[in-house]
Amino acid sequence: MSRVYNFSAGPAVLPEEVLREAAEEMLDYRGCGMSVMEMSHRSAVFEDIIHDAEKDIRTLLSIPENYEVLFLQGGASLQFAMIPMNLMKHGKADYILTGQWAKKAWKEAQKYGKAEVIASSEKENFSCIPNLEKLPVSEDADYVYICENNTIYGTKYHTLPDTKGKPLIADVSSCFLSEPADITRYGMMYGGAQKNIGPAGVTIVIIRKDLIQEEVFPGTPSMMQYRIHAKAGSLYNTPPAYGIYICGKVFQWLLSQGGLEGIQKKNRKKAALLYEYLDDSRLFSGTAARKDRSLMNVPFVTGDKELDAKFVSEAAAEGLVNLKGHRTVGGMRASIYNAMPYEGVKKLVAFMEQFEKENR
Ligand SMILES: *Cc1c(COP(=O)(O)O)cnc(C)c1O
């Protein structure tokens, strides 16, 4: 067996300890004589698994009692519709566009009401977070929507926008649990698990309870109502049980890393190593505005498409895989999520130094 350093943006690297533990429990989960994949989601054993997962994410983020934690399906993309269907009570919401995912969410919301763009960095090819001062938040907006970490462009909000009292709804798919966050500043925080938390198929929604008390958009399917999932403790129908089990293991792993403060320290150290090299390099350069740089996704280019392709293929031969950038940015992208070890980034930087020497 030989594991590579996987810089994929998602589905992405998971902690090796978690995968080993899951492998050990594959055929016989703690004396049940069966795998977690094979058991009823109504069994006492699975109830413990989902209960512990919820308890641990509550501990990690210090989630207060007035927030629900929901384990759903349909990816982050289904949330693009669920959010307006459940939360656009007066048919109006404000969106800040910082990349393709925010734009997709905004487009979807237009089907259910008036979705206003109040700031955008599209003219800058989303290489930065737009100026958030004097944000023209609509008087009658039901919420303000952001994509907090922009997976494709490598930017992140380092300060949250002032929403003038409107609930802030944030897609945190690619920065979920990467550093401490004050959940009380959000009406809802959500993300697909496959970037920083677990396998594809689980979407985690953390939402303030008062936001899901009222009526939803007429005709909203039961499966798309937060209220119904909340009432059923995420067991309205068969949940993505195995995925939730792995997420639970990742939460345990995060607790063992010193919680979110601990993982933040490690993430900062990894990102600093790569950014410091990029800033000094005479071959490579980062594409995101310095002040907005993400700790999780680091896009960079040489400025020469053929050289970029050569880099990606030679890196892969060294066991540094999935470094090709998104087609809209080009070049390379290193996603260095929670589970990417420091040694992986060190090896990447050493390889980049060598490549620079050979190709400049
Ligand atoms: C990957 C990603 C999505 C899309 O997630 P799916 O689970 O594939 O729907 C949405 N938002 C962000 C920020 C992402 O990184």
Side-chain angles (χ1 to χ4, degrees):
M1 189 201 68
S2 90
R3 303 248 317 152
V4 292
Y5 287 117
N6 177 12
F7 294 92
S8 168
V13 57
L14 285 168
E16 207 168 295
E17 296 93 317
V18 166
L19 297 176
R20 280 184 198 285
E21 230 180 80
E24 274 164 28
E25 293 173 346
M26 180 61 78
L27 294 179
D28 177 6
Y29 177 73
R30 300 188 184 172
C32 293
M34 65 177 90
S35 143
V36 173
M37 263 183 261
E38 301 170 293
M39 63 179 61
S40 165
H41 59 291
R42 309 274 176 209
S43 63
V45 180
F46 186 74
E47 265 179 21
D48 282 349
I49 291 174
I50 192 166
H51 176 265
D52 288 349
E54 175 170 346
K55 181 172 65 66
D56 290 340
I57 192 175
R58 281 188 181 275
T59 303
L60 284 165
L61 273 168
S62 306
I63 302 173
E65 268 311 305
N66 64 323
Y67 283 76
E68 295 282 357
V69 175
L70 306 176
F71 296 98
L72 307 179
Q73 305 190 56
S77 298
L78 189 64
Q79 296 307 309
F80 299 168
M82 276 179 78
I83 289 161
M85 289 173 101
N86 285 268
L87 305 179
M88 245 191 200
K89 313 283 186 203
H90 306 93
K92 177 106 186 262
D94 288 347
Y95 280 71
I96 301 179
L97 303 193
T98 51
Q100 283 189 22
W101 296 118
K103 211 169 157 184
K104 276 196 171 162
W106 166 62
K107 287 216 166 122
E108 191 73 8
Q110 289 170 22
K111 295 179 182 169
Y112 306 99
K114 200 155 177 256
E116 195 99 59
V117 176
I118 56 167
S120 170
S121 55
E122 188 162 22
K123 274 203 229 92
E124 291 82 19
N125 193 27
F126 298 127
S127 60
C128 59
I129 300 295
N131 185 358
L132 300 172
E133 274 165 45
K134 300 194 190 106
L135 211 53
V137 176
S138 310
E139 272 309 281
D140 51 351
D142 288 309
Y143 58 84
V144 175
Y145 183 99
I146 63 167
C147 178
E148 194 165 325
N149 186 79
N150 296 281
T151 326
I152 296 173
Y153 307 92
T155 62
K156 163 136 205 291
Y157 286 78
H158 292 298
T159 49
L160 293 174
D162 174 6
T163 61
K164 310 206 168 110
K166 310 292 180 197
L168 176 68
I169 312 293
D171 175 355
V172 298
S173 293
S174 50
C175 61
F176 223 160
L177 305 181
S178 62
E179 55 188 0
D182 178 2
I183 195 79
T184 64
R185 300 217 31 211
Y186 300 79
M188 165 176 162
M189 171 192 279
Y190 79 95
Q194 75 274 19
K195 307 283 162 63
N196 211 14
I197 293 185
V202 184
T203 308
I204 299 174
V205 169
I206 305 167
I207 188 164
R208 230 171 59 206
K209 286 179 178 169
D210 63 285
L211 296 176
I212 57 173
Q213 298 313 311
E214 292 167 46
E215 278 315 302
V216 297
F217 195 81
T220 301
S222 305
M223 272 296 284
M224 291 177 70
Q225 297 188 31
Y226 296 126
R227 201 168 44 167
I228 287 178
H229 287 290
K231 221 168 136 194
S234 298
L235 296 171
Y236 171 68
N237 74 322
T238 316
Y242 195 79
I244 293 169
Y245 154 78
I246 299 289
C247 289
K249 287 206 178 298
V250 172
F251 301 155
Q252 280 282 320
W253 177 80
L254 283 168
L255 288 166
S256 79
Q257 303 294 302
L260 301 189
E261 276 91 10
I263 205 75
Q264 177 184 45
K265 232 190 220 161
K266 291 179 186 174
N267 286 334
R268 281 186 174 158
K269 193 172 159 217
K270 286 185 287 178
L273 181 66
L274 184 49
Y275 283 126
E276 275 164 26
Y277 168 70
L278 282 172
D279 289 344
D280 289 343
S281 171
R282 295 171 71 185
L283 179 64
F284 298 102
S285 52
T287 57
R290 275 193 198 204
K291 66 177 181 36
D292 301 321
R293 291 199 292 211
S294 165
L295 287 182
M296 297 281 101
N297 310 100
V298 183
F300 55 95
V301 294
T302 64
D304 174 340
K305 279 195 177 116
E306 272 169 36
L307 203 54
D308 287 348
K310 185 176 177 218
F311 176 83
V312 170
S313 96
E314 288 184 7
E318 294 292 316
L320 303 162
V321 310
N322 290 323
L323 281 162
K324 191 174 186 313
H326 192 272
R327 62 188 184 282
T328 54
V329 178
M332 284 68 74
R333 170 177 50 176
S335 294
I336 49 175
Y337 295 122
N338 288 347
M340 172 58 66
Y342 182 76
E343 291 68 39
V345 181
K346 213 168 124 184
K347 190 171 170 193
L348 172 64
V349 169
F351 177 74
M352 289 168 80
E353 278 169 349
Q354 183 199 326
F355 188 88
E356 177 166 349
K357 266 193 211 121
E358 290 169 4
N359 293 277
R360 252 197 92 239

